[in-house]
Every structure is written in structure tokens, then in C-alpha cells.
Amino acid sequence: MEYRGNPVSHGIAIGDVYLYTPFQAEITEKTIGTDEIEAAVQAYFDLRTKAQAELAMIQEKLQAGSPDKAKIFAAHVDMLLDAAVNGEIETLIRDAHLSPECAIERGYSKFIRLFSKAKVLQIRERAADLRDLKTRLHRIWAGVPERNLSALEKEVIIAAHDLLPSDTATLDRSKVLGIVTEIGGRTSHSAIIARSYEIPAILGVPNIMAALRDGERVILDAVEGVLYTSPDEAACAHYAEKRGAYLAHAAELKQYRSAVPVTRDGVPIEVHLNMGSADPDELSGSLYTDGVGLFRTEFMYLSSPSLPTEEEQFQAYRKVALEFGQRPVILRTLDIGGDKQLESMELPREDNPFLGLRALRLCFENLPLFQAQLRAVFRAACYGNLWLMLPMVGSLDDIRAAKAVIEEVKEALRQEGITHNPDIPVGIMIEIPAIALVAELAAEEVDFASIGTNDLCQYLMAVDRLNPAVANYYQSYHPAMFRLIGQTVSAFSAAGKSIGVCGELGGDPLAAAVLIGLGMRKLSMGISSVPGIKKLITGLTIPQAEALAKQVMSCATADEVEQCLRAELGTALPAV
Ligand code: PEP
Ligand code: MG
């Protein structure tokens, strides 16, 4: 059988399926008789012992490679054995005659509610740990084995309804041959991560979970966007060959990674890196890029069950600053909410999270969180060329409010006598159309801007960037996108302020040609897009790009734009 989806991270994989379904408990209220109480209490104790053994095993696995993560599971053991929680559960079994699973549900929920309301951030974080533990206990009670992407036993192709950023951030990339999910599109975060890890991925394959069996062999062709089940030997051999050819071609293209990005008529275009951690793998992108155009700082938060401290953030930012030296490193402040939920902190449930309390808005509501990050940034700024960028800015009010917090943080650091560098550029992401439309006013208030085309498209087209049902409406090549980007570039350039692109369009050779034609001289992208973009730049002239941009502006639809670009650029484009 063949199943089609969106090939968001190119490549080919042949391997066994690992069905990933995070466990969801369904608990119905159940009481027990007086004669069953002792057995129920004992059953709870036994369950707790099993959970403790599981946690010890995870800790042991993580100890060598990720001691910090191992510590988190040690803390989970402490919570599992906590006297107050256990006393509550035992009372619920003995006095309220609740079955063990109901007592766990009610007992843990009580503490989760209490902790979620705490004023102190560190206590609020404990709510997420308790939720995690509650799920572990329910899962063991239901006899379901643990599914954990950070501790895979062998190489697999992961199939999931969706992968949350916290799943992708923690997955053991050395064991993941490919990814297929039921929802998500090119700009969802699982796609961005898959591309940066160079893991072939097809997203948005409806109902694929029901069609697959755990452990069955499949072929994932993430060039064409097809997943083949029950392949025979001939098909496996054919795709093994195709995979070889793909890898050889990708290796050839990779030679462009080190090219100097100057157009054929001698205009330099800066190529910057999008990154999500200070891990050595990601830092190695420094060899091929002019700086960091987007450091998604929230990934540090997503990959950890507890909030990173100011010190941990400082260390990470300092590492990136030192690695890039005088080259600019744009640190984007926390962009959580939307599709990025934190394990380590309770966020409000919203009907429209992408339109809700996201990014800067959430930071305004959680000032200690924001302040800790800003402190880490200003401290790390002593070690390199750090720039600070605010996400989800919709108005000048947002800019002014954020700048007020920034000033307070600097003043506090000064008064505390803490070494820091207060003089760093402060800029904004242009991803809400409203701010793009007042770009010339925004340019007066900030030092730079970077266009987040992923969200700009989502908000301009009124299309959820994750929902495959409306993927056809998510048209990044819509002429309106290029018109709005063109206006923004002109406004910032006229004000003499730096402007770049850090959304996925910046790493898409077709679109990049238009962006250059619109006056953009700074593109930022995941490392896997660097060779293709450098190939494009070195084959292009500015008049050619300007003519393209002009043509695109007069197109009526996204399809027309794409056809026009393919016709004009054909041979300049990378083939993979
Ligand atoms: C964007 O919106 O284009 C962007 C770069 O930010 P993110 O994809 O992290 O939302
Ligand atoms: Mg964005």
C-alpha cells in the first residue's frame, strides 16, 4: 500500500516502524468494598515499586550521556515517594474507598492543582513533574509498556499522530531513520527539527497510525512524499539503490556549504544559521555561516522537564557567543505557546493557542521567566556579539513594554554589580501582519528586524500552520506575502536598520531568489538548507533577482508565482 503526505525533510529510509502513542489514561470513578481495602493499598505500593524500578532504569540509561536529564528522573523518584502525596492516596483508598487508580488520579490531581497555582515558578514547575508521574503510574497500572523516544533500543522509523517539540527535542537522533506523522506541515516545529537533524520526514499522512503495525517494515520516500507498507524484496532493493543515489547527490550539493555567498555580479548575501541548542552538532554550523540569524531559545525549555535556570541559559548563550566570535548571534526570547507547550510549566489551555497567550505575550504574564532569560542574555553578551530579538510583536505597545522590562533587568544587574553588557542591539520578529504594515514606525523603535515567514504566512492567510486539512490554503508563495515582505524590507532599509529573514522561506531557493530581488541581503536557515541557498546565490545576479521579484509582484496567485519561478530559475535550483 502507498500513503501520501508532505515530504518536509528530504531523504529515503527503509526500516521498521515504531508506533509512538503517548499514553492517555481513561479513569472512571470506582469504589471498593471494605474487605478489598488492604489488597488495594498493597496494589498501590506494588505499583509504586514498579514505577520506581522504571525510573531507576531510565536514570541508568541517561547517566553516561545526559547526566542532567538523569537528575530529573532522580527527582521523580523523590516525588513518587513523597509522604504527603502517598498519605493522601492511602487515605483516599482507606477512607473514601477509592480504587488505587482513582485514588492516584484524585490524589495527584489535587497536588497538581495546588502547585499550578503557586506564585513561585519553581513550585509551579513541579506540577508538570507530578503530571508525568501520574501518567507513568496509570500506564503501568494499565499494563502498557513505556514508549520513550529518548531511549530507543534500535534504529526505527517513528510513526505518530503528531510529535510535540518536546518529543523531537529529546529524541535519540542516532536511532531515528525517518518520521511519519498524521498532522503537521513544512513549517511545523517537528519539520524544522527533522530538517536540522537531517532525518527524512513525511508529515500530514491522514490516519497512518491505524494503517501501521508496530515493528513492520516500511519504505519512507521523503523525496516524493510516499510511505510504502509491505514492500517486497525487489522494492527494498530498488529503494536502497535510490537512497544511495540520493545520499551521493546530497553529498555533492553539500560541497556548496563552504562556498562564499556572493552573487555572480559580486554582491554579498549573508547566510546565517537557525539553531535550537548549543550542542556541538549545531555549533558546527558555524563553519559555514555568517552568524546566527535565529537561536530558538525555547528549545532548551522544551527538551527539559524542568525550566532551565538563569545560569544554565547563560552557559548555553555564552557557548554560542564564543563560537561565533564577532559574528552576530540573534537570540530570540522565549517563543512558547502555540504548538510549543512546556513539560516544565503549566500553560493555560486555549481554544486558539496560535492566537493566544504566546511568546512575548506569555512572557509579559510570567515576568520572572522573562527576566531570568534577559539576565542570562545580557551576562552572556560580554563574550561575543549577541543580539536580542522579541517574537510575536504586534504593536509598538509590545515593543515599548518589552523595552521597559529590558531596562529594568539591566538596572537590576547594574545595581547587583553583576558583569554584563547592556549595549546590545534589540530587535523584533516581523511575523504578525499588523507590525509589518507599520514597519517604518517600528523601525524607529528597534535596532533590527527579522521576518518570520512561517508565522507571517499563518497570520496573513488565516491558516493554522499545522493543520493538514487546510494545508492548501497555507500559501507561502502568495503574492501578498512577497508584497508585504517587500514593504517591510524597504521600510527597514530606508531607516538604515538591519533586516533579515529567518522563516523557512529564507532557506527555500525559489523564494530566496525573490527575497534577494526585494532587497534582502540577509537570509537565515537550518543547516540543511545552506548548500542549496549558496548554490542559488552564486548562480544569480541582482538584476535577474530584481526582475524575478517584479514579475512575482504582478502574479495573481501562489501557483502562478511558483510556475514563474520554476520557469526562470530551473537550472539554478538544487535538485534535492
Ligand atoms: C517564523 O515564524 O517564521 C519563525 C522563524 O519562528 P517559528 O517558526 O519558530 O515560529
Ligand atoms: Mg514564528
Side-chain angles (χ1 to χ4, degrees), residues 187 189 192 274 294 296 298-299 332 335 339-340 354 358 429-431 451-456 465 474 502-504:
T187 61
H189 289 92
I192 291 167
N274 288 355
L294 172 64
R296 289 183 164 95
E298 62 275 6
F299 281 120
R332 174 174 76 183
D335 182 4
D339 67 331
K340 289 177 276 194
F354 274 121
R358 185 188 161 188
M429 291 205 63
I430 304 273
E431 47 191 353
I451 304 182
T453 54
N454 307 339
D455 278 315
L456 186 64
R465 70 194 250 193
Y474 185 93
C502 61
E504 293 303 301

Side-chain angles (χ1 to χ4, degrees), residues 171-224:
L171 65 77
D172 177 357
R173 54 207 275 196
S174 67
K175 300 265 176 38
V176 183
L177 300 172
I179 294 172
V180 57
T181 65
E182 295 184 329
I183 66 166
R186 218 190 132 65
T187 61
S188 57
H189 289 92
S190 30
I192 291 167
I193 292 269
R195 276 196 294 281
S196 80
Y197 287 177
E198 300 186 359
I199 298 174
I202 306 179
L203 306 192
V205 186
N207 305 320
I208 192 65
M209 293 296 276
L212 295 175
R213 273 174 300 108
D214 200 44
E216 78 167 296
R217 177 136 291 221
V218 293
I219 295 171
L220 180 115
D221 179 349
V223 176
E224 300 297 331

Side-chain angles (χ1 to χ4, degrees), residues 4-188:
R4 289 190 177 269
N6 195 348
V8 298
S9 175
H10 284 179
I12 292 169
I14 305 169
D16 298 342
V17 167
Y18 181 91
L19 281 184
Y20 179 61
T21 29
F23 178 78
Q24 277 191 326
E26 279 174 30
I27 308 296
T28 42
E29 192 87 4
K30 189 171 141 212
T31 48
I32 53 173
T34 317
D35 55 336
E36 294 169 293
I37 288 175
E38 287 314 318
V41 171
Q42 189 55 45
Y44 169 63
F45 289 158
D46 293 346
L47 178 65
R48 210 178 52 185
T49 308
K50 283 185 195 160
Q52 195 176 349
E54 230 182 57
L55 288 165
M57 224 160 68
I58 300 173
Q59 263 184 79
E60 201 183 305
K61 263 190 199 159
L62 291 172
Q63 196 56 50
S66 323
D68 285 355
K69 283 188 186 141
K71 262 192 230 150
I72 291 155
F73 291 98
H76 279 201
V77 173
D78 292 344
M79 279 182 240
L80 181 73
L81 303 176
D82 182 87
V85 176
N86 282 286
E88 178 74 19
I89 291 171
E90 208 176 320
T91 307
L92 285 166
I93 298 175
R94 289 191 187 281
D95 299 352
H97 291 202
L98 288 186
S99 65
E101 72 272 32
C102 294
I104 290 167
E105 181 61 30
R106 214 182 291 162
Y108 268 82
S109 299
K110 176 180 158 186
F111 285 94
I112 291 167
R113 268 195 312 276
L114 270 176
F115 284 14
S116 309
K117 287 191 198 129
K119 288 237 157 33
V120 180
L121 196 63
Q122 281 72 10
I123 299 180
R124 283 214 303 276
E125 285 173 55
R126 297 283 79 83
D129 289 308
L130 283 174
R131 177 167 296 105
D132 204 25
L133 264 179
K134 174 162 77 91
T135 307
R136 183 176 298 281
L137 288 166
H138 283 317
R139 180 182 49 69
I140 300 174
W141 182 260
V144 176
E146 171 149 58
R147 308 248 90 183
N148 186 337
L149 300 181
S150 62
L152 295 164
E153 298 289 333
K154 57 175 192 143
E155 291 188 332
V156 288
I157 292 178
I158 293 172
H161 171 66
D162 184 21
L163 287 179
L164 298 175
S166 54
D167 295 322
T168 41
T170 52
L171 65 77
D172 177 357
R173 54 207 275 196
S174 67
K175 300 265 176 38
V176 183
L177 300 172
I179 294 172
V180 57
T181 65
E182 295 184 329
I183 66 166
R186 218 190 132 65
T187 61
S188 57

